[in-house]
Amino acid sequence: MSTSSALPDLSALISRRAQTMTASAIREILKITQQPDVISFAGGLPAPELFPLDAVRQAAETALNKYGPAALQYSTTEGHPPLREWIAERHGIPAQNVQIVTGSQQGLDLLGKILINEGDTVLVEAPTYLGALQSFQPYLPQYAQVPTDEGGIDVDALERLLQTTKAKLLYAIPNFQNPTGRTLSLERRRRLVELTAQHGVLLIEDDPYGELRFTGEALPSLYALGLELAGDVDRNHVVYCSSFSKTLVPGLRDAWIEAASPIVAKLIQAKQGADLHTPTLNQMMMTELLPLLPAQIETVGAAYRERGAHMLRQMDEQFPAGVAYTRPEGGMFLWVTLPQGVDTVALLPRAVENKVAYVPGQPFFALGGGQNTMRLSYSSATPEQITQGMRALGQTFREALA
Amino acid sequence: MSTSSALPDLSALISRRAQTMTASAIREILKITQQPDVISFAGGLPAPELFPLDAVRQAAETALNKYGPAALQYSTTEGHPPLREWIAERHGIPAQNVQIVTGSQQGLDLLGKILINEGDTVLVEAPTYLGALQSFQPYLPQYAQVPTDEGGIDVDALERLLQTTKAKLLYAIPNFQNPTGRTLSLERRRRLVELTAQHGVLLIEDDPYGELRFTGEALPSLYALGLELAGDVDRNHVVYCSSFSKTLVPGLRDAWIEAASPIVAKLIQAKQGADLHTPTLNQMMMTELLPLLPAQIETVGAAYRERGAHMLRQMDEQFPAGVAYTRPEGGMFLWVTLPQGVDTVALLPRAVENKVAYVPGQPFFALGGGQNTMRLSYSSATPEQITQGMRALGQTFREALA
């Protein structure tokens, strides 16, 4: 054979879009936090001790008995019909408007693929879910940041932005947002749905945490408000994404999209090329687990309520003046804002020395900002870890502010 | 709220790449073949009666007992370490050069995403696996068809093509190709690996069927020849894709890519945005099933050998003169060529009237051609179905040629 000097330069073959991909900033940051003894609030994992392990074991057994080899065969791209039907009934829509996806992350990737042309403007909250930016990035959008305040998206600022910016889509997490824990009020939801409709902007609602509310009244989804506005499921400009990852278990990767037929038709075609279908057995298992869902939502919600409340009490006690934080009504995260001038990336090694870790807020901003912010997750921490961790974090803050 | 006249035109929001997506031609064709009483050789499903159902049930139980909640938690993008290690050992490469994917289809999508710029030339066999065209299409390549003959890729024709065409990658299925069932000889394999290296073309080897050989000697993979040429796993210009779908079960969606580190690094980033990771439990279950793999390969291979041989005997007896077909050494498919002028798309309704169905060959050609060809699958047919089906197909051919 010829000599290896003739070999292609593999790095030179990488596509332009893939050259813009970078290792997740969080992924890199998490490495420094993974030292023994460090109490980490950096991850965003659901509490594993609350997973319904026995019920999952039973669901596998039941699905294999009920469906036999069909549980292990190739299956339809759209998804397991009983699962689609159950999802559709919640919003009172036809099952054909539901597409099963392999985790919400795949939903975001497929939506990016079927919607975003290079250079299209995608509106995102500032800050927003980092994973959504990673899903959209390969399709080479431009981002515009929608200003937010304590109530989430600032709809007046959005209105001004839409007057000067031609956008293709807006991506929003209205319930217990990742990373801030903020929830959008009913009035703002209505304005958001109306404004995007008027400006021809598709509205993607990502709602993984909505069922995990600990306080206050459940609010209508953007999807439901869009349906009310359109009067027709196939003209609704809101696309709804949700998942069983935060209520039941994440590792089976069962999630879904609800959308108008012109969107679903393209999602099916895109998903055929992306992974043919979501694993058959996993969808059947999830269907068997559905009767357990209300009790599981209750259990997980109660645990997170208690953990979040305990964290907030400790923060109230331990954090120095000048440090602000959100008080989430549900979900897994809260958001801390330090005085201007404190850089939470630079502060992290000192926190780790003090045996505590967080995620700096900056990677959650599509266009930068948030140097003085951080995200904390309380979902999988014990009371002792929270008490000790908030004491260490308060100490770190006092050192930084001294 | 405002009136629905302000609603966005959803179809107008679809991306340019998604506008080029079409429903799979096969998917549409299969609809007309799904009538009762029709014996269909159109699908390409592994034989479900050979799935190791009890072992899968036991593997779920074992994985859940062994790993507990971790079997249901989020997990690493790269994949379950013991599974990666097992795969890596087969080719004697480090585990870090193995990326687990959610079915080979996802592997092709991710490779398209990290390699193909709009307008890049992708070389494919004529005919090739339709699903690969669907995976690559969203990245808007140009295709060039590599001529093939009874021995698969015509390497002399490829050499001439490479002298005039600047290509980014070549996609090949060297073993029991889908759709033709053809296998590339050792000499052609060497030429293919050398020619692509010399011309700076990345070579994607898709090998889902390689283990299912019924006759003849196993040949070295293109990947192994590329490794020999490069002398370094991280300079190998051949990327290897395979799957457990055809040997164990397809519905768990466990497959993998072996590649040089510059490729794997980008695959990890692309997969993070595409679905975070392949379902955790499924990878652990597949790892538990690995000891069963040799016996399962034996069982499935023996069944397909018998079914394929029976189909060929029936074809020899029933088909009129002028109809040619391949004699695969393994896999699930064979390929029928009718005399020029016969259009197998136009012929299908008559075949269905005669209670038999096939897939016309034309959709397997990236740039058209093959109007007089068809693919038949013997993997999941009974002897009676094969006997009756080949009689009906022979009858259909005689009618067409009359």
Side-chain angles (χ1 to χ4, degrees):
Chain A
M1 291 212 170
S2 31
T3 68
S4 65
S5 61
L7 291 170
D9 173 2
L10 299 176
S11 300
L13 295 176
I14 299 298
S15 66
R16 208 159 48 84
R17 85 177 63 76
Q19 285 167 18
T20 75
M21 295 175 190
T22 49
S24 157
I26 286 192
R27 200 177 149 104
E28 298 308 305
I29 286 165
L30 289 182
K31 283 183 189 160
I32 79 156
T33 70
Q34 281 164 355
Q35 298 179 19
D37 317 341
V38 171
I39 301 172
S40 178
F41 306 98
L45 298 181
E49 74 278 11
L50 305 178
F51 293 166
L53 196 60
D54 288 332
V56 171
R57 188 183 283 115
Q58 187 54 53
E61 178 82 20
T62 304
L64 287 166
N65 288 340
K66 192 187 280 188
Y67 294 101
L72 304 172
Q73 185 59 287
Y74 286 111
S75 58
T76 61
T77 303
E78 294 87 336
H80 185 50
L83 188 58
R84 295 173 80 204
E85 281 154 23
W86 182 90
I87 292 164
E89 272 178 22
R90 293 169 71 241
H91 274 135
I93 61 172
Q96 69 188 25
N97 291 91
V98 175
Q99 172 65 52
I100 304 293
V101 289
T102 310
S104 268
Q105 195 73 32
Q106 185 187 48
L108 299 177
D109 175 54
L110 296 179
L111 287 167
K113 195 179 255 187
I114 70 158
L115 292 166
I116 301 172
N117 289 317
E118 179 170 354
D120 276 353
T121 296
V122 170
L123 300 172
V124 292
E125 296 169 88
T128 190
Y129 170 53
L130 178 60
L133 301 178
Q134 284 181 285
S135 288
F136 297 153
Q137 183 54 38
Y139 308 109
L140 302 175
Q142 295 189 61
Y143 290 109
Q145 291 193 154
V146 182
T148 64
D149 59 21
E150 288 312 302
I153 288 178
D154 177 340
V155 286
D156 294 326
L158 173 64
E159 184 163 23
R160 290 189 297 273
L161 186 61
L162 287 171
Q163 279 155 8
T164 56
T165 305
K166 172 88 191 117
K168 172 65 79 76
L169 63 88
L170 189 154
Y171 169 77
I173 308 167
N175 291 316
F176 330 128
Q177 197 232 20
N178 180 1
T180 63
R182 290 170 185 154
T183 296
L184 203 62
S185 68
L186 179 57
E187 194 198 333
R188 287 190 179 194
R189 287 174 193 236
R190 289 197 189 279
R191 288 277 311 281
L192 178 58
V193 169
E194 285 170 13
L195 282 171
T196 47
Q198 281 161 18
H199 287 84
V201 175
L202 191 103
L203 177 53
I204 297 178
E205 174 179 30
D206 194 3
D207 188 29
Y209 315 108
E211 303 272 21
L212 302 177
R213 174 177 280 281
F214 357 115
T215 179
E217 285 285 305
L219 296 172
S221 63
L222 304 176
Y223 183 82
L225 296 173
L227 193 53
E228 197 181 311
L229 178 69
D232 178 350
V233 65
D234 287 332
R235 295 202 67 203
N236 190 352
H237 78 295
V238 186
V239 172
Y240 182 86
C241 304
S242 192
S243 165
F244 297 108
S245 292
K246 307 305 189 293
T247 51
L248 282 161
V249 295
L252 293 178
R253 315 300 296 126
D254 283 323
W256 72 90
I257 297 175
E258 300 170 45
S261 294
I263 304 292
V264 171
K266 284 295 165 189
L267 286 173
I268 295 169
Q269 292 171 5
K271 187 169 164 70
Q272 273 192 279
D275 69 354
L276 289 181
H277 64 84
T278 293
T280 316
L281 178 63
N282 301 36
Q283 297 182 65
M284 291 170 174
M285 286 169 67
M286 203 52 86
T287 307
E288 296 300 324
L289 290 168
L290 291 173
L292 191 74
L293 188 57
Q296 188 66 18
I297 287 170
E298 189 62 40
T299 302
V300 175
Y304 292 179
R305 178 194 299 119
E306 194 175 316
R307 291 168 197 188
H310 182 58
M311 186 177 270
L312 283 166
R313 277 193 307 271
Q314 295 300 312
M315 292 164 78
D316 292 344
E317 281 180 27
Q318 302 288 344
F319 284 8
V323 179
Y325 36 91
T326 56
R327 294 189 170 268
E329 296 181 355
M332 297 166 53
F333 302 108
L334 52 77
W335 185 248
V336 178
T337 304
L338 291 157
Q340 286 292 342
V342 178
D343 179 337
T344 57
V345 171
L347 191 61
L348 187 58
R350 194 182 305 187
V352 170
E353 271 174 41
N354 289 336
K355 305 297 179 198
V356 66
Y358 55 81
V359 188
Q362 201 181 340
F364 297 96
F365 291 81
L367 301 177
Q371 280 82 354
N372 57 329
T373 59
M374 65 178 60
R375 187 191 74 178
L376 298 178
S377 168
Y378 44 79
S379 53
S380 54
T382 65
E384 297 68 33
Q385 289 171 330
I386 290 173
T387 303
Q388 205 178 323
M390 290 307 110
R391 192 178 304 136
L393 207 49
Q395 174 61 25
T396 307
F397 292 166
R398 277 189 298 276
E399 289 167 22
L401 296 174
Chain B
M1 290 210 171
S2 32
T3 68
S4 65
S5 61
L7 292 169
D9 173 2
L10 298 176
S11 300
L13 296 176
I14 298 298
S15 66
R16 207 159 50 83
R17 87 178 62 76
Q19 285 168 19
T20 74
M21 294 175 191
T22 49
S24 155
I26 285 190
R27 200 178 149 105
E28 298 308 305
I29 286 166
L30 290 182
K31 284 183 190 163
I32 79 157
T33 70
Q34 280 162 356
Q35 298 179 21
D37 317 342
V38 171
I39 300 172
S40 179
F41 305 97
L45 297 181
E49 74 277 12
L50 304 178
F51 292 166
L53 196 60
D54 288 333
V56 171
R57 188 183 284 113
Q58 188 55 53
E61 180 83 18
T62 305
L64 287 166
N65 288 341
K66 190 187 281 189
Y67 294 100
L72 304 172
Q73 185 59 288
Y74 287 112
S75 57
T76 61
T77 303
E78 294 87 337
H80 185 50
L83 189 58
R84 295 174 79 203
E85 282 155 22
W86 182 90
I87 292 164
E89 272 178 23
R90 293 171 71 240
H91 273 135
I93 61 172
Q96 67 188 24
N97 291 92
V98 175
Q99 172 64 53
I100 304 293
V101 289
T102 311
S104 268
Q105 195 72 33
Q106 184 187 47
L108 298 177
D109 175 53
L110 296 179
L111 287 167
K113 195 179 257 186
I114 70 159
L115 291 166
I116 301 172
N117 288 317
E118 179 169 353
D120 276 352
T121 296
V122 170
L123 301 172
V124 293
E125 296 171 88
T128 189
Y129 170 53
L130 179 60
L133 301 177
Q134 284 182 285
S135 289
F136 298 153
Q137 184 53 39
Y139 308 109
L140 302 174
Q142 294 188 61
Y143 290 109
Q145 291 193 153
V146 182
T148 64
D149 59 21
E150 288 313 300
I153 287 178
D154 177 341
V155 285
D156 294 325
L158 173 64
E159 184 163 23
R160 290 190 296 273
L161 186 61
L162 286 172
Q163 280 156 7
T164 57
T165 305
K166 172 89 191 114
K168 170 67 80 77
L169 63 88
L170 190 155
Y171 169 78
I173 308 167
N175 292 318
F176 331 130
Q177 197 230 23
N178 181 0
T180 63
R182 291 171 184 152
T183 296
L184 203 61
S185 69
L186 178 57
E187 194 198 332
R188 287 190 178 194
R189 286 175 194 236
R190 291 197 188 277
R191 287 279 309 282
L192 177 58
V193 168
E194 284 170 14
L195 282 170
T196 47
Q198 282 161 18
H199 287 83
V201 175
L202 191 102
L203 178 52
I204 297 178
E205 174 179 29
D206 194 2
D207 188 29
Y209 315 108
E211 303 272 20
L212 302 176
R213 174 177 280 279
F214 358 115
T215 179
E217 286 286 303
L219 296 172
S221 63
L222 304 177
Y223 183 82
L225 296 174
L227 192 53
E228 196 181 311
L229 178 68
D232 177 350
V233 65
D234 288 331
R235 295 200 68 203
N236 190 351
H237 78 295
V238 185
V239 172
Y240 182 86
C241 304
S242 192
S243 164
F244 298 107
S245 291
K246 306 305 190 295
T247 51
L248 283 161
V249 295
L252 293 178
R253 314 302 294 125
D254 284 322
W256 73 90
I257 297 175
E258 300 169 47
S261 295
I263 304 292
V264 171
K266 284 296 165 189
L267 285 173
I268 295 169
Q269 293 171 4
K271 186 169 165 71
Q272 272 192 281
D275 70 354
L276 290 181
H277 63 84
T278 293
T280 315
L281 178 63
N282 301 36
Q283 296 182 66
M284 292 170 173
M285 286 170 67
M286 204 51 88
T287 307
E288 296 299 324
L289 290 168
L290 292 173
L292 192 74
L293 189 57
Q296 188 66 18
I297 287 170
E298 189 62 39
T299 302
V300 174
Y304 292 179
R305 177 193 301 120
E306 193 175 315
R307 290 168 198 188
H310 182 58
M311 186 177 271
L312 283 166
R313 279 193 305 272
Q314 295 300 312
M315 291 163 78
D316 292 345
E317 281 182 23
Q318 301 288 343
F319 284 8
V323 179
Y325 35 91
T326 57
R327 294 189 171 268
E329 296 181 355
M332 298 166 53
F333 303 107
L334 52 77
W335 185 249
V336 178
T337 304
L338 291 157
Q340 286 292 343
V342 179
D343 179 337
T344 56
V345 171
L347 191 62
L348 187 58
R350 194 182 305 186
V352 170
E353 270 174 41
N354 289 338
K355 304 297 179 198
V356 66
Y358 56 81
V359 188
Q362 200 182 339
F364 297 95
F365 291 80
L367 300 177
Q371 281 82 353
N372 58 328
T373 60
M374 65 178 62
R375 187 190 75 179
L376 298 177
S377 169
Y378 45 79
S379 53
S380 53
T382 65
E384 297 68 33
Q385 288 170 331
I386 290 173
T387 304
Q388 206 178 322
M390 291 307 109
R391 191 179 303 137
L393 207 50
Q395 175 61 27
T396 307
F397 292 167
R398 279 189 296 277
E399 289 168 22
L401 297 174

